[in-house]
Amino acid sequence: MPKVRRRHNITPTNLNLEEKLVHINRVSKVVKGGRRFSFNAIVVVGNKDGVVGHGLGKANEVSDAIQKGFDNAKKNLIRVPMTKTGSIYHTITGKEGAGEVLLRPASEGTGVIAGGPVKALLDIAGLQNILTKSVGSSNPHNMVKATYNGLKNLTDPFEVAERRGISMNKVFEG
């Protein structure tokens, strides 16, 4: 069986990762003396060249939650296969809970057509031409995870050709 490059579990050393905060949520717990507040933060990290990860941090302080989120995101890095025009190779739907995100390749000059949390993840991944549609839940947690799952399940035509033992032309012919 031919060897195939693995895209998952990338170590964050020497990647020049950029960090982006997607959403902060305040949650409260009722205790004897009143309400106790804590925070959770959804963050994404990436190098704008095909490496991206997402994380969730929870803490009693906002800054601690954000820091925990970044640490968590650096543990979930994946490499996204991209075309030379900064798009993806094929259409895919990512799912998480009740949220679905449809990711479609776009021609050069289109830009990133996406909403809030999805756009943050795609920008930090380095995708420049992509169409998206969020279906179902608009919860930022589910939207980020659905987008991440979609990007994680993308296939690189070079890997497909190598795995099947055929030429690149046959892969694109279908």
Side-chain angles (χ1 to χ4, degrees), residues 101-123:
V101 176
L102 173 69
L103 305 169
R104 295 181 61 199
S107 58
E108 194 166 5
T110 304
V112 178
I113 310 296
V118 176
K119 187 174 178 79
L121 186 70
L122 297 175
D123 283 342

Side-chain angles (χ1 to χ4, degrees), residues 22-25 42-44 54 96 101 116-118 137-147:
V22 177
H23 183 74
I24 296 177
N25 189 29
I42 307 166
V43 296
V44 292
H54 76 92
E96 177 67 30
V101 176
V118 176
S137 173
S138 60
N139 180 343
H141 293 266
N142 287 343
M143 288 175 68
V144 167
K145 288 178 186 174
T147 306

